[in-house]
Amino acid sequence: MVMQIPAPQREQPDASTPGMSVLAGGCFWCTEAVYLALEGVTRVVSGYTGGAQETANYRAVCSGTSGHAEAVQIHFDPARLSFGRLLQVFFAVAHDPTQRNRQGNDVGTQYRSAIFAVNAAQQQMANDYIAELNATGLFGQAIVTEVSLLENFYPAEGYHQDYARRNPDQPYICAVALPKVEKLRHTFPQYFHAKES
């Protein structure tokens, strides 16, 4: 049975906030696949954030010592998709926000749950929503998602972009990413948008 996660009390931070968000929820291949299938998303870029530019590469990030998280930069049309809906999908579908510095078998600070807000309004809304979700007790334990202001985002190497769509038969994609896309289709059918391959 799919757990129903309530939407945040507010849909948008404020009128001046751009239609862009940076979220980290484990392997970016999986998070990217979920958001590419969400109606209103115009572009998703896999990348790194939280560390220095010189360590913004896959090898360094995989070491777990770079300070970076694998993250996705999501561009969306606020007229068609709210920041609140983006967050609801993040907590309900994209990852498990109660796992600290891991997602399933992927272990390390690079797989941490984090929201990198583009401004103070987004940051406040994310913190408020986490408090709302914790108050429901739906997750059975506290949400460990970190919320901070975005400093820098470094796009990942080209072969990581749109990875799940380009590699649908890769075992990790079949085992982890595609079930999340199906969960999105089942949980939020009204917001699911299958992109053409």
Side-chain angles (χ1 to χ4, degrees):
M1 181 166 176
V2 176
M3 180 171 50
Q4 295 299 315
I5 304 298
Q9 293 179 8
R10 290 187 297 137
E11 286 287 315
Q12 299 287 13
D14 61 24
S16 65
T17 300
M20 195 268 282
S21 180
V22 175
L23 305 175
C27 173
F28 49 26
W29 295 344
C30 302
T31 314
E32 177 190 64
V34 167
Y35 283 102
L36 282 174
L38 189 63
E39 179 65 38
V41 168
T42 57
R43 186 164 64 106
V44 181
V45 181
S46 289
Y48 315 108
T49 188
Q53 183 174 4
E54 54 268 21
T55 58
N57 63 78
Y58 195 60
R59 183 174 186 144
V61 172
C62 282
S63 74
T65 61
S66 69
H68 283 291
E70 289 193 14
V72 290
Q73 183 186 66
I74 305 161
H75 299 262
F76 61 98
D77 178 358
R80 295 162 54 210
L81 176 68
S82 69
F83 179 62
R85 183 70 59 201
L86 218 64
L87 291 181
Q88 187 181 22
V89 168
F90 183 62
F91 288 107
V93 176
H95 80 311
D96 179 349
T98 67
Q99 294 191 356
R100 187 180 300 280
N101 296 329
R102 72 178 300 157
Q103 284 296 303
N105 293 326
D106 294 330
V107 180
T109 58
Q110 68 271 31
Y111 299 116
R112 64 188 179 272
S113 172
I115 298 167
F116 297 91
V118 300
N119 62 15
Q122 243 188 28
Q123 183 180 32
Q124 184 62 56
M125 186 171 165
N127 280 321
D128 289 347
Y129 188 39
I130 290 170
E132 291 166 26
L133 291 178
N134 276 328
T136 69
L138 283 171
F139 288 97
Q141 52 191 314
I143 290 170
V144 298
T145 305
E146 302 169 6
V147 180
S148 61
L149 287 171
L150 178 68
E151 293 184 11
N152 292 292
F153 178 84
Y154 305 100
E157 297 83 349
Y159 66 91
H160 289 299
Q161 308 302 330
D162 205 10
Y163 189 88
R165 186 191 62 80
R166 293 186 299 100
N167 299 275
D169 299 322
Q170 202 259 20
Y172 183 89
I173 295 302
C174 292
V176 184
L178 297 184
K180 290 184 180 188
V181 174
E182 282 305 305
K183 185 177 180 184
L184 175 67
R185 184 201 303 266
H186 182 266
T187 309
F188 300 106
Q190 68 276 38
Y191 303 112
F192 183 82
H193 176 68
K195 302 292 191 288
E196 295 181 7
S197 48

